[in-house]
Amino acid sequence: MNAVLIVDERNGLAFNHRPPSRDGALMEDLKTQIDGPLYATDYFGRMASRYGLDVCEEQPENDEDWVLFDHDPTPEEAEKINKIILYRFMDVYYPADERLNLDLSDFTIEEELSFEGTSHDEIVREVLVRNAV
């Protein structure tokens, strides 16, 4: 599977089960990065669908499907991830009740881009690909 993760600069994933931000520029950028449906649950899925992303609440069906994680991936989920789009809000530290602890040492940064958000001065997008075994 492919993962989308949205964090603050300290890897905060969610506060009160909500994402660190609902930045419109981030969602517009995400639309250019994925094709096909985005698998997401609850609040994250409703947020993404408001920005015109095709959201599906069912389980992903194949290795190319994109999942918007609202939690730190479990070890079982982590081993299935082949590619990650990681959005990071820079200079922002939200109180977080969920943090990203995923070990990214098995991944290589393929692309990195910094852009201005609608509600944040700087958002960094990193595209990471799992290293070949």
Side-chain angles (χ1 to χ4, degrees):
M1 85 176 78
N2 299 312
V4 176
L5 298 161
I6 304 170
V7 298
D8 66 16
E9 195 169 5
R10 293 184 181 161
N11 287 339
L13 268 170
F15 174 67
N16 197 22
H17 310 291
R18 294 178 302 173
S21 176
R22 294 174 289 189
D23 192 279
L26 182 151
M27 288 295 142
E28 291 299 323
D29 184 78
L30 180 57
K31 285 196 295 191
T32 69
Q33 298 299 304
I34 64 171
D35 54 346
L38 177 66
Y39 292 81
T41 58
D42 300 330
Y43 191 91
F44 277 51
R46 288 191 308 274
M47 174 188 73
S49 66
R50 275 188 236 131
Y51 288 97
L53 284 126
D54 180 18
V55 176
C56 182
E57 290 187 14
E58 299 163 9
Q59 292 296 315
E61 297 176 7
N62 62 58
D63 290 346
E64 299 303 313
D65 287 338
W66 286 96
V67 177
L68 175 58
F69 279 91
D70 61 352
H71 62 276
D72 192 37
T74 65
E76 294 80 18
E77 291 169 327
E79 70 183 30
K80 295 177 185 176
I81 297 173
N82 299 312
K83 187 174 188 176
I84 299 170
I85 298 176
L86 176 64
Y87 288 100
R88 188 179 306 277
F89 296 108
M90 303 307 291
D91 298 323
V92 177
Y93 313 110
Y94 293 111
D97 51 18
E98 184 77 33
R99 293 204 179 275
L100 178 65
N101 294 306
L102 178 66
D103 180 9
L104 299 177
S105 65
D106 290 338
F107 293 84
T108 300
I109 297 175
E110 184 177 77
E111 178 185 341
E112 187 172 354
L113 173 74
S114 177
F115 61 95
E116 185 176 341
T118 54
S119 58
H120 294 83
D121 292 337
E122 183 182 16
I123 300 172
V124 172
R125 173 183 18 101
E126 294 177 353
V127 178
L128 302 102
V129 178
R130 185 176 293 278
N131 298 328
V133 179

